[in-house]
Amino acid sequence: MSQQTAILHLPGQDPIELPILKGTAGNDVIDIRTLGAAGYFTYDPGFLATASCESEITFIDGDKGILEHRGYPIDQLAEHSDYLEVCFLLLNGKLPSKAENAKFKKIVSEHTMLHEQLSKLYSGFRRDSHPMAIMCGVSGALAAFYHDAMDLSKEKHREIAAFRLLSKMPTLAAMSYKYTQGQPFMYPKNSLSYAGNFLQMMFATPCEDYVVNPVLERAMDKIFILHADHEQNASTSTVRLAGSSGANPFACIAAGIASLWGPAHGGANEACLDMLIEVGHVDNIPEFIAKAKDKDDPFRLMGFGHRVYKNHDPRATVMRKICHEVLDDLKIDDPLLDVAMELERIALSDPYFIEKKLYPNVDFYSGIVLRAIGIPRSMFTVIFAIARTVGWISHWKEMVEQPGQKIGRPRQLYTGEVDLTFPKK
Ligand code: SDX
């Protein structure tokens, strides 16, 4: 089929033909790269209709509520895979063989420890720091320890940096929590699974043996899978833009963590639990629904709505299932689950939410599950950062390895003053 084009009629110019590029799924794109020569830019603050790159990693269909990683639906990955196998898939574009899976897991387990000097960095923070503030600092500081593998033109360096980040993020995260609790850091245990090791570093103490609860371990691993990657979201786009300048991968991931912290993005899980606690009882729900609908009230229903999903977020559906499984297994009767389910039921029958296609997103139930696992609220977004590190690295790697990759440099619509004369003194 011949190349399709879009014809653009501009004042005083001949029509411009812009190529239409076709993907394997989702929207086709209009290639506007030649538009600058005609004296125009496109204007799309918030990138509502802008494709920033070509990617093969994750596909989302917001209208159908589809999320696939390298073509595999998220609910199947959550059901049948584990987080490190999903990491291999995201990083390498295919599921690992049995031998590749075992080798990948062994390498990850061999990089979990930090340089002892790095742990001294924590003592510079206040004990009441938010763990995400600490994570922004210590993740970027990794670059101060790994000069031996930061030549991005070398595939081996890119690979070792990826392993170091994937392996060390749970260690950095657990240490960020332990530091705020005034407890000693726990060293990683290579004999444990990725999720089990994280739980051990979070909750074990040197005083007694710690046995990983298999229910919590499986739930934690699934939560990591559900948060692993999500196409060109704000934090991933931040990592890509930082990486486009040639910045080292540790600095790029630190930039991603900073962006994820926002309550409109990864900070929503913590904000959503705060909201459910504030609602407190199903009788109070109508008041909060009214606030969410009030244009003059900045309150948003946290855990609801999404830039892309205008249908159910498939991750929320899986997360709700995990929520019931964990609470049932642990025989926890959390009244917040009743509030969440009633809030979801009421919102999904309210014309405001129906018209605006606002559905629960991945953050709506995650807070309740994390609370049941014993993860403190302040660590919710840190959990998101651990899980999303593989998505950030996969996109960083894809961008760095893409032929003809250019530094990201958006333009603007300038509406300020021009050609003023500086007043003579
Ligand atoms: C994540 O991009 C990703 O993929 C992110 C993520 C990932 O995995 O990386 O999926 C993770 O960030 C999930 C989203 C978590 N955030 C929240 O739960 C915070 C609450 N949600 C909103 O802040 C909002 O829905 C966003 C930020 C998620 C999406 O915002 P958009 O796409 O910019 O939509 P919008 O703000 O323009 O809202 C459209 C309309 C507005 O009304 P109008 O101006 O058209 O009258 O819907 C309203 C908004 O007021 N609206 C809400 C609402 N979300 C949107 N009204 C009440 N409660 C809400 N939650």
Side-chain angles (χ1 to χ4, degrees):
M1 180 169 55
S2 64
Q3 164 95 57
Q4 288 185 318
T5 59
I7 310 293
L8 193 58
H9 295 273
L10 297 168
Q13 295 192 41
D14 293 337
I16 294 181
E17 271 200 280
L18 298 170
I20 292 175
L21 309 179
K22 300 184 92 52
T24 47
N27 288 8
D28 296 341
V29 299
I30 298 171
D31 184 343
I32 56 154
R33 284 175 285 185
T34 58
L35 208 50
Y40 285 85
F41 297 139
T42 57
Y43 184 66
D44 185 13
F47 311 117
L48 288 150
T50 294
S52 61
C53 62
E54 179 181 335
S55 182
E56 300 175 354
I57 299 172
T58 289
F59 172 66
I60 301 171
D61 183 320
D63 295 326
K64 295 182 187 140
I66 290 172
L67 167 56
E68 294 178 347
H69 292 318
R70 303 283 190 179
Y72 294 96
I74 189 66
D75 56 324
Q76 293 181 30
L77 291 171
E79 185 66 31
H80 304 300
S81 186
D82 63 56
Y83 178 69
L84 285 185
E85 186 176 50
V86 171
C87 288
F88 185 100
L89 174 68
L90 288 168
L91 286 164
N92 299 292
K94 67 179 184 71
L95 286 170
S97 64
K98 214 169 161 57
E100 288 170 327
N101 205 4
K103 184 181 174 208
F104 186 80
K105 287 179 171 155
K106 185 172 181 307
I107 296 173
V108 169
S109 71
E110 289 166 353
H111 286 76
T112 51
M113 275 212 306
L114 294 178
H115 190 294
E116 279 297 298
Q117 201 62 22
L118 205 154
S119 54
K120 294 184 175 20
L121 205 60
Y122 283 75
S123 59
F125 292 96
R126 283 175 45 149
R127 289 280 182 176
D128 61 353
S129 303
H130 192 291
M132 279 299 280
I134 299 174
M135 286 298 285
C136 288
V138 294
S139 55
L142 288 170
F145 291 84
Y146 296 117
H147 305 295
D148 63 327
M150 282 202 317
D151 177 348
L152 310 189
S153 63
K154 294 196 176 86
E155 186 183 0
K156 195 63 194 155
H157 285 201
R158 296 197 295 270
E159 187 188 32
I160 185 70
F163 273 117
R164 279 172 166 158
L165 281 158
L166 187 54
S167 305
K168 297 178 194 307
M169 207 48 76
T171 313
L172 289 171
M175 288 167 71
S176 301
Y177 172 62
K178 283 296 196 187
Y179 181 74
T180 62
Q181 302 304 301
Q183 288 188 7
F185 298 142
M186 296 304 292
Y187 283 103
K189 284 193 185 322
N190 294 347
S191 57
L192 296 174
S193 71
Y194 193 83
N197 187 27
F198 173 64
L199 292 173
Q200 181 268 143
M201 292 189 287
M202 279 284 293
F203 300 119
T205 69
C207 318
E208 54 195 33
D209 292 340
Y210 176 84
V211 179
V212 177
N213 176 321
V215 172
L216 303 190
E217 181 180 24
R218 183 67 187 132
M220 194 76 253
D221 192 80
K222 284 188 178 186
I223 288 171
F224 285 152
I225 291 174
L226 292 176
H227 291 81
D229 188 50
H230 212 241
E231 197 211 71
Q232 306 309 325
N233 59 85
S235 54
T236 299
S237 298
T238 300
V239 171
R240 277 182 172 260
L241 197 55
S244 72
S245 74
N248 71 74
F250 307 106
C252 295
I253 297 305
I257 291 175
S259 171
L260 184 75
W261 195 5
H265 189 14
N269 50 19
E270 182 177 347
C272 184
L273 190 74
D274 289 346
M275 176 191 73
L276 292 173
I277 293 167
E278 193 184 352
V279 172
H281 191 277
V282 293
D283 295 345
N284 303 327
I285 290 173
E287 175 202 338
F288 284 83
I289 294 276
K291 278 169 64 69
K293 291 158 59 175
D294 178 357
K295 295 307 300 164
D296 299 324
D297 190 329
F299 174 79
R300 289 269 174 96
L301 216 47
M302 302 316 281
F304 258 78
H306 198 277
R307 169 59 58 75
V308 175
Y309 290 122
K310 301 310 171 191
N311 194 324
H312 280 276
D313 177 339
R315 302 168 298 176
T317 310
V318 178
M319 193 66 81
R320 188 194 308 122
K321 190 163 164 277
I322 296 171
C323 207
H324 284 291
E325 284 167 2
V326 171
L327 294 182
D328 291 350
D329 280 330
L330 298 177
K331 299 183 179 30
I332 295 175
D333 179 17
D334 187 346
L336 290 187
L337 179 58
D338 302 331
V339 174
M341 287 175 63
E342 181 60 5
L343 182 56
E344 179 185 29
R345 187 192 66 76
I346 295 175
L348 293 186
S349 57
D350 184 299
Y352 173 91
F353 292 87
I354 294 168
E355 281 150 31
K356 293 185 187 302
K357 298 183 179 180
L358 300 174
Y359 289 88
N361 58 50
V362 67
D363 295 303
F364 188 63
Y365 283 100
S366 56
I368 298 172
V369 186
L370 291 170
R371 192 163 100 128
I373 292 175
I375 304 283
R377 248 180 60 261
S378 64
M379 284 293 287
F380 285 7
T381 308
V382 177
I383 301 287
F384 199 146
I386 295 172
R388 187 53 58 87
T389 293
V390 69
W392 292 330
I393 299 168
S394 301
H395 283 276
W396 167 79
K397 197 167 161 287
E398 183 178 66
M399 180 201 64
V400 169
E401 292 168 359
Q402 220 142 38
Q405 181 259 325
K406 287 181 169 305
I407 187 166
R409 197 335 183 159
R411 301 306 303 273
Q412 63 180 9
L413 172 66
Y414 179 67
T415 54
E417 299 286 348
V418 286
D419 299 337
L420 297 179
T421 303
F422 191 82
K424 289 203 176 22
K425 286 183 177 147

